[in-house]
Amino acid sequence: MMRNIVLVLLLAVLAALEAKAQVAAAEYFFDADPGVGNGTAAALIPGPGNTATIAIDVDASTLSAGFHFLSVRFQDADGRWGIAESRPVYIHGTTAIGPAAPLVAAEYFFDDDPGVGNGTAAALVPGPGNTAAIAIDVDASTLPAGFHFLCVRFQDADGRWGIA
């Protein structure tokens, strides 16, 4: 049985202290890093400023049941690749578990988790099937200089929150 997972990821590149080159390409891979530029190309939809959205349609039947790491990396217009960002995903296997409930809410936060349902609400734009996109407009001046973690989680119509 072929199962597809549609993952919609949003890249929000924040220009906190200096101008950054425009995002030009994206790639993704599961588990082992195949090397810079050797991942699966992801369609890139440029947004306003230095933002972009990618949509990844993955055939999960190629992955074994259990935990895996989905990694995404971006290339700028100058040809420089960024560091791959990885997140754990869980594959339930090939046994049908029923249709997923539609996504109805999203929230985001930086660095420290304020608790489920306590993040900043993000506008949810439903897509085809059980997909959705979000747009986050963040004032980077509120963040101190340095590295930060942007975390996003979604809630389905059954009231269940996903992992940030």
Side-chain angles (χ1 to χ4, degrees):
M1 173 178 166
M2 180 175 283
R3 290 182 34 134
N4 286 327
I5 294 178
V6 178
L7 302 172
V8 178
L9 301 176
L10 173 68
L11 168 69
V13 180
L14 305 174
L17 299 175
E18 61 181 323
K20 303 289 183 192
Q22 186 71 24
V23 175
E27 68 178 4
Y28 72 94
F29 56 90
F30 282 92
D31 302 323
D33 189 338
V36 174
N38 295 321
T40 302
L44 189 65
I45 304 162
N50 195 20
T51 64
T53 301
I54 62 171
I56 304 172
D57 188 4
V58 178
D59 178 6
S61 69
T62 62
L63 298 170
S64 61
F67 282 100
H68 295 272
F69 285 93
L70 170 62
S71 301
V72 179
R73 142 171 71 219
F74 298 89
Q75 184 183 45
D76 69 17
D78 295 329
R80 296 176 299 214
W81 284 95
I83 297 171
E85 180 69 27
S86 301
R87 291 290 183 257
V89 295
Y90 185 80
I91 304 299
H92 289 279
T94 58
T95 304
I97 57 173
L103 300 176
V104 297
E107 67 178 6
Y108 72 94
F109 56 91
F110 284 91
D111 302 323
D112 298 317
D113 191 340
V116 174
N118 295 321
T120 302
L124 189 65
V125 181
N130 192 24
T131 65
I134 61 170
I136 303 172
D137 186 17
V138 176
D139 179 4
S141 68
T142 63
L143 296 171
F147 286 100
H148 298 277
F149 290 97
L150 170 61
C151 304
V152 179
R153 74 176 138 231
F154 297 88
Q155 183 183 39
D156 68 16
D158 294 332
R160 296 177 296 212
W161 283 95
I163 299 172

